[in-house]
Amino acid sequence: MEELVNTIVGYIWSDALVYLALGVGIYFTVATKGVQFRYIREMIRLLLDKSHSSRGVTSFQAFCMALSGRIGVGNIAGVATAIFSGGPGAVFWMIVMGLLGGASAFIESTLAQVYKQETHGQYRGGSPYYIEKGLKLKKFAILVATVTGLSYGVLVPGVQVNTITDSFQTAFGLSTTISTIAVVGLLAFIIFGGIKRIARFADIVVPFMTIAYLCMMAIVLVVNFAQIPAMFALIVKSAFGMDAVFGGMVGTAVSWGVRRAVFSNVAGAGEATFSSAAAEVSHPAKQGLVQGFSVYVDTVMVCTATALMILSTNMYNIVGTDGKMLVEHLPGVAAGTAFTQSAVSTVFSGFGASFVALAIFLFAFTCLVAYYYIAETTLVYLDNQLRFPVLKTVLKIVFLAVCFFGGIQSASVMWGLGDIGFGSMCYLNFIAIVLLSKPAFKTLKDYDEQKKRGLDPVFDPRVAGVENADFWIAYSDKHRSQ
């Protein structure tokens, strides 16, 4: 099975997907005049607005739900594998992809808001919804919903659980079976509580875990301050083939940097569109800006923090394109969480492995919560009239069973299945958001114009020239009557 999975991953994650992700990020950055850069202050202002919502979730909660999906094992184990296979230069391209991905995240989340709908008292939306309403391609929308549901309901969750159990075994000596049972039990409590419980959980846990992890990184870097200039020089030189040791790894540096950035922040893959649509805001672009900022937090801050800790402490191995080791600071240690655990242990002796294990648990568990919400939303789309209400219960059971399976299986198989799921979604959603560029640009233009007039933007699709945004017609009419 492992050989088959790796073969499929090789086809999906070819250079075509790497350059598609870069190309789409560049296209939206240029076309929006760098929306992810010129609106940074606005992003933070919107993020701090914690207005309550009766039918949806707040913009901040939607941000936390999306961030819980973005921040996961990719930020700890994924960064380590990028360095192992792509060298220090992969970190540079990871950051570049994060900066460009902010524009892709803005576009997809804005579209999710434009074409959202109210279903059974809750806001629902995401990539299948905007494909059906915006592109008017029902079959394409069903395909995307099916692939997304299978990815987040079956293929991807195992990566997170597997990494949790592996880190707990390393740090505390717990058997993978015991850890898996504990994780699945806690997860069952959360997902059977519904969207509001999911939002409240993310609202509390995500800010805490992110701040704690960044504080840990800061301490490690302060201790290794003398190494920082040489470390940055190594990253830049390696990224452009100017380093004597890593000069021949430019192609793999780009590939692994982009690959792990996309896996980590999933900008443009459609993941954040589901939580974005659940937010209650007065203009779609507001949530687009908030989600653009979440990519910065994930890749530019958290992923970079992990990379800097690993590189500044020399706690890493690097394999060349010929399969031979170029650098082996940790003989016999496989790429993954062990790199980060070793790096933290250089400063917090005897505590590093435990701290990283706890961070992995928080990061990965919130990812699992977000994954279930996405899988449920695709199910609601496919069964819009709730003709088969039992399907939600079936989904919960299957999701928990997959998580249990992932916790006790081979890590390489779980990572391979995760790559298949993410890669498949990336192809479909990148194509969709490029085809839907026009309504996204019109929505941004409407937001820009209202901001220039000193208004708090309220979206009216008739004024913006966007069709099939039925929810917003009713919303703007209600706003005018108040």
Side-chain angles (χ1 to χ4, degrees):
M1 180 179 178
E2 184 172 347
E3 185 176 346
L4 175 62
V5 168
N6 290 335
T7 300
I8 296 174
V9 170
Y11 283 116
I12 293 177
W13 283 95
S14 63
D15 288 344
L17 181 54
V18 171
Y19 293 115
L20 175 62
L22 279 171
V24 171
I26 293 171
Y27 167 62
F28 284 130
T29 297
V30 173
T32 62
K33 299 177 182 177
V35 64
Q36 73 270 42
F37 305 126
R38 59 189 176 92
Y39 269 131
I40 288 182
R41 290 180 62 185
E42 180 74 352
M43 290 175 178
I44 298 174
R45 185 188 72 80
L46 293 170
L47 182 62
L48 297 177
D49 180 8
K50 300 188 68 172
S51 303
H52 294 289
S53 171
S54 58
R55 289 188 176 87
V57 298
T58 68
S59 184
F60 181 77
Q61 286 176 326
F63 165 82
C64 289
M65 287 168 67
L67 198 59
S68 68
R70 297 190 197 281
I71 296 181
V73 298
N75 298 82
I76 297 178
V79 171
T81 59
I83 293 173
F84 176 76
S85 300
V91 178
F92 176 88
W93 294 108
M94 189 181 299
I95 295 171
V96 168
M97 189 64 239
L99 294 172
L100 295 175
S104 300
F106 169 82
I107 293 294
E108 65 178 0
S109 294
T110 297
L111 288 170
Q113 273 284 328
V114 169
Y115 296 108
K116 74 179 181 181
Q117 65 186 45
E118 189 174 340
T119 304
H120 309 294
Q122 294 181 335
Y123 296 142
R124 295 282 188 177
S127 51
Y129 293 82
Y130 59 63
I131 290 171
E132 179 182 345
K133 291 186 174 183
L135 293 178
K136 301 177 183 178
L137 297 174
K138 179 72 172 179
K139 291 182 179 179
F140 185 22
I142 291 174
L143 172 64
V144 170
T146 302
V147 170
T148 302
L150 287 174
S151 294
Y152 286 108
V154 179
L155 296 176
V156 178
V159 176
Q160 309 292 343
V161 183
N162 190 278
T163 307
I164 291 175
T165 58
D166 180 64
S167 64
F168 272 37
Q169 188 174 47
T170 300
F172 309 115
L174 290 176
S175 74
T176 56
T177 302
I178 292 176
S179 299
T180 301
I181 292 173
V183 170
V184 172
L186 182 57
L187 186 61
F189 171 76
I190 297 295
I191 66 175
F192 275 97
I195 182 176
K196 288 291 186 179
R197 183 176 290 173
I198 293 172
R200 287 195 298 269
F201 179 82
D203 196 0
I204 295 170
V205 173
V206 173
F208 166 77
M209 72 178 187
T210 304
I211 292 171
Y213 191 73
L214 290 174
C215 287
M216 179 186 69
M217 176 274 299
I219 294 172
V220 173
L221 290 182
V222 167
V223 172
N224 293 278
F225 183 77
Q227 306 299 323
I228 292 178
M231 175 184 59
F232 274 113
L234 177 64
I235 290 172
V236 175
K237 287 180 179 179
S238 300
F240 294 97
M242 296 183 292
D243 183 80
V245 178
F246 308 113
M249 297 183 68
V250 176
T252 53
V254 174
S255 178
W256 276 94
V258 173
R259 179 174 173 174
R260 283 298 166 234
V262 172
F263 188 99
S264 177
N265 65 48
V266 291
E271 179 180 298
T273 62
F274 299 92
S275 57
S276 295
E280 187 167 338
V281 292
S282 65
H283 197 288
K286 289 185 175 181
Q287 195 58 34
L289 290 171
V290 168
Q291 296 305 340
F293 187 74
S294 73
V295 175
Y296 287 160
V297 175
D298 173 90
T299 306
V300 179
M301 295 175 66
V302 181
C303 280
T304 303
T306 300
L308 295 181
M309 285 193 296
I310 291 172
L311 293 173
S312 66
T313 58
N314 286 325
M315 293 293 109
Y316 61 92
N317 300 325
I318 297 176
V319 65
T321 54
D322 58 358
K324 296 180 180 180
M325 299 301 295
L326 290 177
V327 174
E328 195 169 15
H329 294 303
L330 297 171
V333 176
T337 56
F339 285 13
T340 309
Q341 289 175 316
S342 299
V344 178
S345 293
T346 61
V347 177
F348 301 97
S349 180
F351 176 66
S354 300
F355 185 95
V356 174
L358 178 61
I360 286 173
F361 170 73
L362 292 175
F363 282 16
F365 191 82
T366 50
C367 260
L368 289 169
V369 174
Y371 289 171
Y372 172 75
Y373 174 74
I374 294 170
E376 182 184 278
T377 301
T378 60
L379 181 63
V380 171
Y381 172 81
L382 293 170
D383 185 28
N384 192 39
Q385 303 304 317
L386 283 181
R387 290 167 294 182
F388 307 102
V390 71
L391 287 178
K392 279 192 178 182
T393 302
V394 172
L395 174 62
K396 289 179 171 68
I397 295 172
V398 170
F399 186 84
L400 293 172
V402 166
C403 288
F404 183 82
F405 176 80
I408 59 177
Q409 290 301 307
S410 163
S412 60
V413 171
M414 292 300 101
W415 275 97
L417 291 174
D419 277 339
I420 291 172
F422 279 121
S424 301
M425 291 187 302
C426 284
Y427 277 114
L428 296 172
N429 197 62
F430 279 139
I431 293 170
I433 60 177
V434 169
L435 294 176
L436 282 168
S437 296
K438 188 173 292 186
F441 295 157
K442 287 181 178 179
T443 304
L444 175 59
K445 181 180 179 182
D446 178 71
Y447 188 83
D448 285 337
E449 290 176 348
Q450 292 191 54
K451 289 295 291 183
K452 287 178 182 177
R453 298 201 301 269
L455 302 174
D456 181 15
V458 176
F459 188 60
D460 186 336
R462 294 163 296 194
V463 175
V466 177
E467 299 179 353
N468 293 332
D470 301 330
F471 170 86
W472 289 100
I473 292 176
Y475 179 90
S476 59
D477 288 343
K478 182 180 179 181
H479 185 269
R480 283 198 185 94
S481 65
Q482 291 178 344

